[in-house]
Amino acid sequence: MTFSIELVIIGALTGLAYSVLAAGLVLVYRATRVINFAHGEMGAFGAAVLAKLVLDLGWNWFLAFAVVLAVGAVVGGVVELAIIRRLFHAPRLILLVATIGVSQILFFASAVLPDIDNTRRYPTGLDRVADVGSVLLRGEHFMVMAFVPAVIAGLALFLNVTPYGMAIRASAENAEAARLAGVSVKRVSTVVWVLAGVLSTATFVLINPIRGTIVGTASVALGPSLLLRALVAALCGRLVSLPWTLAGGIAVGIAEALLFVNVPSPGTVDGILFVVVLILVFTRGRDLVTDEKGSFSLTPRSRPIPARLLSVGWVRRLPHISAGVAFAVAALLPLVVTAPSRQFLFSRVAIFAIIGLSITVLTGWAGQLSLGQFAFVGLGAFTSFALVDRGMPFSYSIVYSAVIGVLAALAVGGPALRIRGLSLAVTTLAFAVAARGYILPHGAFTGGNQDVFLPRAKIAFFDLSSQRTYYWFCLVVLAACVFVISRLRTSGVGRAIIAVRENDRAAAALTVSPSGTKLTAFAISGGLAALAGALLAGAHVQFGPDLFGPEQSLIVVAMVIIGGLGSVTGAVLGAVYVLGLPALLGDTQEVRLLTSGAGLLILLMYLPGGLLQVVYKLRDLVFSVAERRMGEPAVAPVPVDRRVVPVATTRNRPEIRLDVPAVAATGIAVRFGGVTALDGVTVVAYPGETLGLIGSNGAGKSTLMNVMSGFQPTAAGTVQMFGEDVTALSAHERSRLGLGRVFQDARLFGELTVRECVSVALEARERSELVPSALALPPATAAEARKRREAEELIGFMGLGRYADAVIGSLSTGTRRIAELACLVAVDARVLLLDEPTAGVAQRETEAFGPLIERIRKELDATLVIIEHDMPLVMSLSDRVYCMSAGRVIAEGVPEVVRTDPAVIAAYLGTDERAIKRSDTGRPAVVPQLGGLSRTELVEVARSRGIKGPSRLRKAELLELLS
């Protein structure tokens, strides 16, 4: 292996430039919690402007450099003000998608700049060569040594000394606290984006001469490649630490220089960087976690079909009629349009629709963003070629390509999908760059050729050498894929995927494995993309790795969002629009912009449901007209089925033993950094018992319940269920053993209907199998019929019949609470953990919750552990009560004993135990510290003591009553 100090120095200088680019990523991420995937194109645009100014217009390099830095600042500011600020409160993943649209617009802007008169090397500010020891340094190296340390020092000074710098740091540490301190978080965001534009532009201007960029051929295409190197450096700094980011950039530069000299393939660096990203995501991926509680769904909501219209045949069969008509029109197209070039376009539309379906499953259903989907397409294409080249029939190679796509998705997604957030987007971008530079050009795929040739042969009665026949073949495959994905969406597999996207903690509490479900979605997505790749290889016949560049992945993401993300129809509409519009209006740069970046941003901001949203509005209009023509409906009473639901025994449940606790948390300790949330807590609940957990806010009650249900790891202690140690089990594994959980926020799954939510819970009784569900085989259809019947019975039992088809997100908190309880019945929970089940519920509804909870507990013959601030409710329900304060148990016993315990009263009143004395009646009485409390505080104290109706009393009456 060749190793020299010259290589190390050159690599370190290159790495310094990478560090500057990465610093811009870190700043944006710290301020807005979004990874700016337009960062590379922001710099590429400024670099293209400088080349034009210097090479064609003869400007002085330093003057042009100052101008393009200003251009970068303006670009960053405009992006933030026009797009990021409008989507400021949107989920971070939607903001990330918006940066993809920005990158495509900037790509277009670079492409439409006036051409440079002749091809030349990218200009640099110094034209000199010097020998420093044994190292030959050129002008571009001196420029990096002059500018990069100055930029890094200036950035450090700015962040640590200036008011804006300190505001950026404060906002990054705690945005809410910064707002309370008077910091304008939006203004900080603008400053950060301006800085990011400057840093990105400076990096591209300085790095292009070192990389030997030839103007007019590669200055723009380097965007994703340089962005990957910056991401690796930023990940080394956990996307927050600038010093570690600097070190990571230098390390990447040195490694790249050494590999460039010592390995024959220039793409090897990209392949190794992909492996490094996998390792960093696996070890540091939790830094990319987003704690958002919003939905990533952009799926347009359609109004439910009015019940009266369901009796009309054509209304009931409208989806099937529409699909049949669309397929018939598509099949007849090549008989009308006979030009082979147009028939080739039709084939591409069908193939891109299949790729769109893969995005629908992964992003629309699972809420995970892949920026390397076309890498899976390329993998399928080259796998098909390699197998056909070795003698396999083309038809078999398509199937094997899909299998390879599934395996590749499992390998790529395994490290990233363990956690929520942006990890998959980072990993798949690295995979996309590595695929084009290293994986696809590998000799195992290409046999050493630059381009490959894949002859099409016969498949059964199809002579695929004809362009028309090949289109029909692609259309049949598309129809099959549409059928499979549509079936999956209405099965337990599809419901589980969407449930995990909406609320992975609630899904885990209903026995669904979040990581396993997301990995399943990615595997389906990878298989579909690779299948489409094999078909695309057959359509092009001759192709190379450049056909599957990273920018194509961004285009297909935009395509599906334009059509309507999350819908099978939207994927097809998007493909028709993005590929069909250029064919109709001409394949110009302007039309490409309209069908990618600009179209994506317009829809995100004004029509997030895409083209499908327009289709739904037209459909609803037709239904409204049809309903009006039917006249006034006859009023009929709605029967409510309140039959008791027979509980099905779930497999793998521990045996219920009456001689051991149903659930026991022993010696639990939890620490968050230097803060001890729980300190040696022991709580035991016996079979059939109702256990109350009380205490002031911050006492550690919810943390303890998170430990018991498997959502919070412990520093010490064990958790047992019916004598079995479950400490090492995950949340969904504990739920499969009979542990049910209700959360404070009552979100459940906002985009699913009540019927679908209950059906997700019924997966605990009978799990849906992937292949039978996708192919509508009898085991799956029978299981779905049983779940539908059981869901209807449960909905009737809970009195939710009128809300069965209502989306959970549209219901009141009280109704969502009842739906949650219905899900607990569905999973046949033996231990119920209810965390403030009446939080957010109106007082008159709260009074009805006690009997309902007790009814469900008896129905399930379950053990109940409940956290409640409504003292009358928790005291009336509980057999025993634990009171917690500051992470410890301070009292335990029957409700009346705990209610009168001096330590409990002191904890609620914020007084010392010595301030508590006993009255003549034996009940505790509080000394005059009560007089210092406001009336509102006294009302809360009275409620904590179980006194009914305290809000109707005056302060003097409250003081007398409490004393």
Side-chain angles (χ1 to χ4, degrees):
M1 181 175 179
T2 301
F3 181 88
S4 66
I5 191 64
E6 294 93 333
L7 287 175
V8 173
I9 292 175
I10 298 298
L13 292 173
T14 306
L16 280 173
Y18 294 158
S19 300
V20 173
L21 187 65
L25 284 174
V26 170
L27 286 176
V28 169
Y29 185 78
R30 287 181 63 174
T32 62
R33 289 300 174 198
V34 65
I35 298 177
N36 176 18
F37 281 98
H39 197 53
E41 298 300 342
M42 290 166 67
F45 175 72
V49 172
L50 183 135
K52 180 66 180 177
L53 294 177
V54 173
L55 296 180
D56 272 7
L57 303 182
W59 283 37
N60 175 271
W61 188 93
F62 292 96
L63 176 61
F65 185 50
V67 169
V68 297
L69 288 183
V71 169
V74 170
V75 169
V78 168
V79 168
E80 199 281 335
L81 292 171
I83 298 164
I84 303 302
R85 183 164 296 191
R86 290 185 65 92
L87 299 172
F88 193 80
H89 298 291
R92 300 301 92 180
L93 281 174
I94 289 180
L95 265 178
L96 190 150
V97 171
T99 66
I100 294 174
V102 171
S103 73
Q104 293 174 330
I105 290 176
L106 291 172
F107 185 94
F108 166 78
S110 299
V112 299
L113 283 173
D115 292 336
I116 295 175
D117 288 342
N118 52 67
T119 302
R120 281 174 280 179
R121 285 177 58 88
Y122 195 87
T124 184
L126 290 176
D127 186 13
R128 59 173 297 185
V129 178
D131 290 318
V132 180
S134 59
V135 181
L136 180 66
L137 297 179
R138 297 190 300 272
E140 50 266 31
H141 300 125
F142 287 111
M143 295 294 294
V144 170
M145 286 189 287
F147 278 100
V148 171
V151 169
I152 293 173
L155 187 60
L157 193 66
F158 172 79
L159 291 174
N160 289 287
V161 175
T162 67
Y164 270 115
M166 287 185 281
I168 291 171
R169 290 165 54 208
S171 178
E173 290 295 330
N174 190 329
E176 290 300 324
R179 286 192 188 95
L180 293 175
V183 174
S184 172
V185 177
K186 291 185 177 180
R187 187 178 301 169
V188 165
S189 175
T190 303
V191 172
V192 164
W193 278 83
V194 167
L195 280 175
V198 172
L199 294 173
S200 178
T201 302
T203 302
F204 271 77
V205 170
L206 295 173
I207 202 70
N208 273 338
I210 292 180
R211 293 174 69 95
T213 299
I214 304 300
V215 174
T217 60
S219 60
V220 173
L222 286 174
S225 179
L226 280 183
L227 181 61
L228 172 61
R229 284 149 176 79
L231 270 173
V232 172
L235 284 172
C236 290
R238 298 181 182 270
L239 283 168
V240 292
S241 170
L242 287 175
W244 279 106
T245 297
L246 174 64
I250 293 173
V252 170
I254 293 173
E256 182 180 37
L258 292 173
L259 288 169
F260 186 78
V261 171
N262 286 283
V263 297
S265 171
T268 303
V269 176
D270 293 331
I272 292 178
L273 286 177
F274 167 59
V275 176
V276 171
V277 167
L278 285 179
I279 295 171
L280 289 173
V281 166
F282 187 79
T283 57
R284 299 191 171 191
R286 299 214 171 263
D287 299 299
L288 298 175
V289 171
T290 55
D291 294 324
E292 297 175 300
K293 295 184 179 179
S295 171
F296 177 52
S297 173
L298 294 175
T299 306
R301 286 186 182 177
S302 60
R303 197 164 56 90
I305 299 175
R308 301 169 61 210
L309 290 180
L310 290 176
S311 60
V312 181
W314 69 268
V315 172
R316 226 174 28 250
R317 300 181 182 88
L318 185 61
H320 301 92
I321 293 172
S322 302
V325 171
F327 182 81
V329 170
L332 294 173
L333 265 180
L335 299 178
V336 178
V337 182
T338 57
S341 61
R342 291 294 179 178
Q343 293 171 355
F344 171 73
L345 172 65
F346 299 156
S347 299
R348 279 175 52 85
V349 170
I351 294 167
F352 269 68
I354 298 173
I355 301 172
L357 291 175
S358 74
I359 299 287
T360 294
V361 174
L362 182 63
T363 306
W365 296 1
Q368 299 292 322
L369 185 62
S370 170
L371 299 182
Q373 205 65 3
F374 232 79
F376 292 99
V377 176
L379 188 64
F382 278 92
T383 298
S384 179
F385 164 76
L387 294 175
V388 170
D389 191 50
R390 290 164 173 78
M392 180 179 287
F394 178 60
S395 56
Y396 291 175
S397 76
I398 295 174
V399 177
Y400 279 98
S401 296
V403 173
I404 292 297
V406 170
L407 297 177
L410 293 174
V412 173
L417 290 173
R418 298 174 301 114
I419 53 179
R420 302 190 307 274
L422 309 174
S423 299
L424 187 68
V426 173
T427 304
T428 50
L429 176 69
F431 180 59
V433 174
R436 182 175 64 178
Y438 178 72
I439 298 173
L440 300 183
H442 197 279
F445 288 117
T446 64
N449 299 316
Q450 184 73 21
D451 288 333
V452 298
F453 180 79
L454 177 66
R456 297 197 297 255
K458 286 186 177 181
I459 296 181
F461 300 104
F462 289 96
D463 181 8
L464 300 184
S465 60
S466 162
Q467 200 66 257
R468 176 191 299 171
T469 309
Y470 193 76
Y471 162 66
W472 279 333
F473 175 69
C474 292
L475 187 62
V476 169
V477 176
L478 171 61
C481 291
V482 166
F483 172 78
V484 167
I485 300 305
S486 299
R487 287 292 311 173
L488 280 179
R489 173 58 186 88
T490 58
S491 73
V493 176
R495 290 190 296 267
I497 292 173
I498 294 176
V500 169
R501 179 198 73 197
E502 290 293 297
N503 190 341
D504 58 349
R505 289 163 65 89
L510 297 179
T511 75
V512 176
S513 168
S515 56
T517 301
K518 288 186 285 188
L519 201 56
T520 298
F522 195 27
I524 296 170
S525 175
L528 283 171
L531 170 67
L535 295 175
L536 192 61
H540 280 272
V541 179
Q542 187 170 356
F543 56 92
D546 288 341
L547 182 64
F548 309 99
E551 64 281 353
Q552 294 295 323
S553 297
L554 307 184
I555 290 172
V556 294
V557 169
M559 176 189 79
V560 178
I561 293 176
I562 289 171
L565 184 62
S567 163
V568 171
T569 305
V572 178
L573 280 177
V576 172
Y577 176 82
V578 170
L579 275 72
L581 198 64
L584 185 65
L585 302 179
D587 193 10
T588 63
Q589 290 285 2
E590 292 79 5
V591 172
R592 288 182 183 178
L593 180 65
L594 188 62
T595 57
S596 56
L600 172 63
L601 290 175
I602 291 170
L603 287 168
L604 276 179
M605 292 189 287
Y606 301 106
L607 199 67
L611 300 175
L612 189 61
Q613 188 170 334
V614 179
V615 174
Y616 280 160
K617 288 182 178 180
L618 292 174
R619 189 203 71 164
D620 293 342
L621 180 62
V622 171
F623 285 166
S624 298
V625 172
E627 190 175 18
R628 282 198 301 270
R629 290 187 175 182
M630 294 180 70
E632 293 296 324
V635 179
V638 179
V640 177
D641 183 3
R642 292 188 177 273
R643 291 173 293 168
V644 174
V645 181
V647 177
T649 302
T650 309
R651 298 187 300 270
N652 300 324
R653 293 283 169 86
E655 181 184 354
I656 297 180
R657 296 168 50 190
L658 299 180
D659 59 333
V660 296
V663 61
T666 308
I668 301 298
V670 173
R671 299 181 183 89
F672 300 107
V675 178
T676 299
L678 295 176
D679 187 8
V681 173
T682 296
V683 170
V684 178
Y686 293 93
E689 184 180 34
T690 296
L691 192 71
L693 288 179
I694 64 172
S696 58
N697 288 331
K701 306 182 299 297
S702 294
T703 302
L704 175 62
M705 194 165 278
N706 286 337
V707 169
M708 295 168 72
S709 52
F711 292 105
Q712 175 61 51
T714 64
T718 61
V719 178
Q720 292 184 324
M721 284 181 61
F722 300 107
E724 180 180 332
D725 192 338
V726 298
T727 310
L729 298 184
S730 62
H732 75 274
E733 290 171 326
R734 296 186 197 188
S735 67
R736 290 178 183 179
L737 294 176
L739 192 70
R741 172 74 187 273
V742 166
F743 297 88
Q744 288 183 19
D745 53 15
R747 284 193 303 123
L748 213 53
F749 314 117
E751 292 292 320
L752 295 181
T753 64
V754 172
R755 181 181 287 106
E756 288 176 319
C757 286
V758 175
S759 297
V760 169
L762 287 169
E763 289 292 303
R765 302 185 182 185
E766 186 175 11
R767 310 213 76 80
S768 298
E769 298 180 19
L770 179 62
V771 175
S773 297
L775 300 180
L777 297 177
T781 54
E784 280 298 314
R786 282 192 296 272
K787 288 175 189 172
R788 190 161 48 249
R789 184 172 60 253
E790 290 173 354
E792 292 294 341
E793 291 177 345
L794 271 170
I795 289 170
F797 172 64
M798 299 299 291
L800 292 170
R802 59 183 295 191
Y803 303 110
D805 293 312
V807 177
I808 286 289
S810 66
L811 301 178
S812 68
T813 303
T815 308
R816 291 202 304 271
R817 290 288 184 195
I818 297 173
E820 278 187 310
L821 296 176
C823 290
L824 285 185
V825 177
V827 299
D828 184 23
R830 290 289 185 258
V831 177
L832 308 179
L833 304 182
L834 309 186
D835 192 351
E836 297 189 39
T838 63
V841 178
Q843 183 62 36
R844 58 184 177 81
E845 294 178 325
T846 300
E847 295 169 356
F849 259 75
L852 178 61
I853 291 172
E854 181 61 20
R855 180 185 177 194
I856 291 172
R857 189 197 66 75
K858 290 181 179 178
E859 175 67 31
L860 295 173
D861 191 21
T863 303
L864 173 63
V865 180
I866 182 171
I867 296 174
E868 254 304 333
H869 286 292
D870 187 320
M871 285 300 146
L873 176 63
V874 72
M875 292 298 179
S876 65
L877 284 175
S878 301
D879 298 310
R880 287 188 303 122
V881 175
Y882 283 83
C883 181
M884 297 181 63
S885 179
R888 296 182 179 182
V889 174
I890 60 172
E892 178 264 327
V894 296
E896 189 60 29
V897 170
V898 173
R899 186 203 306 269
T900 58
D901 190 288
V904 174
I905 299 172
Y908 271 91
L909 296 180
T911 59
D912 190 87
E913 286 188 45
R914 291 172 296 180
I916 308 298
K917 65 179 182 180
R918 295 275 171 180
S919 69
D920 293 338
T921 62
R923 294 181 64 83
V926 183
V927 296
Q929 281 90 335
L930 282 172
L933 300 180
S934 67
R935 180 182 174 281
T936 303
E937 291 169 327
L938 288 171
V939 169
E940 292 301 320
V941 173
R943 285 176 175 162
S944 71
R945 294 275 299 275
I947 297 172
K948 296 183 178 180
S951 59
R952 296 192 295 269
L953 302 178
R954 297 192 301 272
K955 182 174 181 179
E957 293 172 326
L958 287 167
L959 281 170
E960 182 180 356
L961 187 62
L962 288 170
S963 298

